[in-house]
Amino acid sequence: MALQCRQALDGPQVAEPKLFKSHRQYSEIPKGGKYIYVARDPIDVFVSFYNFLPGYVGLEAGDMTMDDFADAVFAGVSHGGQIWDHYASWYDHMKDDNVLWVFFEDLKEDLEREVRRIAKFMKLPEHDVERRITIAIENSTFKFMADPAQKHHFDDHFVWDCVKERLRIPAERTHSVSKVRSGKSGQKLPDHLRQRLYRQWENVFVPKTGCKTYEEFRADVGKTGQIDVSRLWLVLGRVVILGLVVRGMVAWSQVPRGLVVETPG
């Protein structure tokens, strides 16, 4: 996407170390940096993706049903691949020294705790770490991001303008869906689609982790950074699913460049 928007990744950035986000799986991501992988409940991710993505191809709200969108997602509509494959690719590197898993729900539950985990992972200079943590916490609140004065930071207007040009969508066309919304989006998902996503989890991720649900996986991994391997013996011979919605970020430190990875959804 950076190349499509004519961005020079090696060009000057506003801060060091450089920070980028991306949708790429681990095998496709440029190596040499630190990676913060943000995972979210796949049910919530699906609804969020449904509300956000269609507008990027010029569709109006209601032009595509949730069932149509689910068929497209399962067919691989996202350039980052299916979320289950994306999730699994980063799970295999969970214990790498340069990879930190962060759960979206943990950020909402205790933002300061998670920001401090990230600061420790990034090895921020001790003389300035508290100032940076304070700024990160203040600028990560819903109140700050929903402020009309900050809208331009979170509405993806820059990428949207590039997409319009490539798809020949009229320049005056607007994209009103913001990434800053309140509520638990997964509650709006019809039961038959919810069950479809659950089956994907069972087929892709249960054999890999032994965790029957996303909530169980988050409980095992979220606080410790690793899975309880004793669970794996309970699922030998079963099929897996990993249907988790993820956002990944790559924070490059001690190198002259960086990259941001965002998962499909």
Side-chain angles (χ1 to χ4, degrees):
M1 184 61 73
L3 294 178
Q4 294 173 357
C5 292
R6 297 183 291 276
Q7 292 297 289
L9 295 182
D10 290 325
Q13 300 290 324
V14 297
E16 291 289 345
K18 295 180 180 180
L19 175 68
F20 300 85
K21 74 175 183 179
S22 170
H23 289 284
R24 295 302 177 185
Q25 297 184 28
Y26 182 85
S27 62
E28 301 172 325
I29 205 71
K31 304 304 188 290
K34 288 188 173 182
Y35 306 89
I36 301 174
Y37 189 74
V38 183
R40 187 182 181 188
D41 188 324
I43 301 297
D44 290 336
V45 175
F46 176 87
V47 176
S48 178
F49 203 26
Y50 169 74
N51 288 331
F52 190 79
L53 184 64
Y56 263 90
V57 292
L59 296 177
E60 298 286 355
D63 284 350
M64 176 180 285
T65 68
M66 279 193 169
D67 288 276
D68 291 337
F69 188 71
D71 290 340
V73 168
F74 278 83
V77 67
S78 173
H79 69 270
Q82 292 196 7
I83 57 176
W84 303 278
D85 297 331
H86 195 287
Y87 191 24
S89 78
W90 284 94
Y91 171 81
D92 288 338
H93 296 274
M94 179 179 290
K95 295 183 181 180
D96 292 2
D97 291 339
N98 65 336
V99 175
L100 176 69
W101 271 61
V102 176
F103 288 87
F104 176 84
E105 294 81 6
D106 288 341
L107 288 166
K108 293 186 65 176
E109 177 183 283
D110 192 334
L111 179 59
E112 180 174 350
R113 179 193 66 206
E114 296 304 301
V115 170
R116 289 188 177 279
R117 285 185 64 224
I118 294 170
K120 182 179 180 181
F121 171 72
M122 292 301 299
K123 297 182 179 179
L124 298 181
E126 292 186 8
H127 72 277
D128 199 33
V129 65
E130 290 301 324
R131 182 187 69 85
R132 297 190 187 190
I133 287 175
T134 298
I135 294 174
I137 292 173
E138 291 177 351
N139 291 1
S140 298
T141 61
F142 181 81
K143 179 180 180 181
F144 176 86
M145 292 186 288
D147 187 327
Q150 307 300 331
K151 178 182 178 181
H152 62 291
H153 291 304
F154 307 104
D155 64 2
D156 257 16
H157 68 279
F158 176 77
V159 176
W160 169 235
D161 287 342
C162 294
V163 170
K164 284 193 296 185
E165 180 182 339
R166 292 176 62 84
L167 296 182
R168 298 183 180 180
I169 296 172
E172 63 273 13
R173 179 75 173 273
T174 60
H175 185 28
S176 61
V177 179
S178 171
K179 288 187 175 180
V180 182
R181 298 188 296 273
S182 61
K184 185 172 175 59
S185 61
Q187 294 177 342
K188 304 174 184 177
L189 190 66
D191 187 64
H192 70 282
L193 289 179
R194 187 182 298 270
Q195 293 304 318
R196 188 174 181 182
L197 294 179
Y198 284 156
R199 286 194 296 273
Q200 279 297 94
W201 182 276
E202 293 171 353
N203 292 336
V204 175
F205 218 54
V206 170
K208 198 175 191 72
T209 68
C211 295
K212 297 178 181 179
T213 65
Y214 169 78
E215 292 77 12
E216 194 173 284
F217 177 75
R218 177 191 164 208
D220 273 5
V221 179
K223 302 300 187 294
T224 65
Q226 58 185 353
I227 196 72
D228 179 359
V229 295
S230 64
R231 291 181 180 274
L232 299 180
W233 296 101
L234 302 178
V235 293
L236 291 177
R238 297 183 60 183
V239 191
V240 188
I241 156 192
L242 172 75
L244 173 54
V245 172
V246 195
R247 289 185 183 272
M249 296 188 308
V250 179
W252 298 62
S253 64
Q254 299 178 350
V255 289
R257 67 190 66 188
L259 172 73
V260 173
V261 174
E262 188 174 11
T263 62

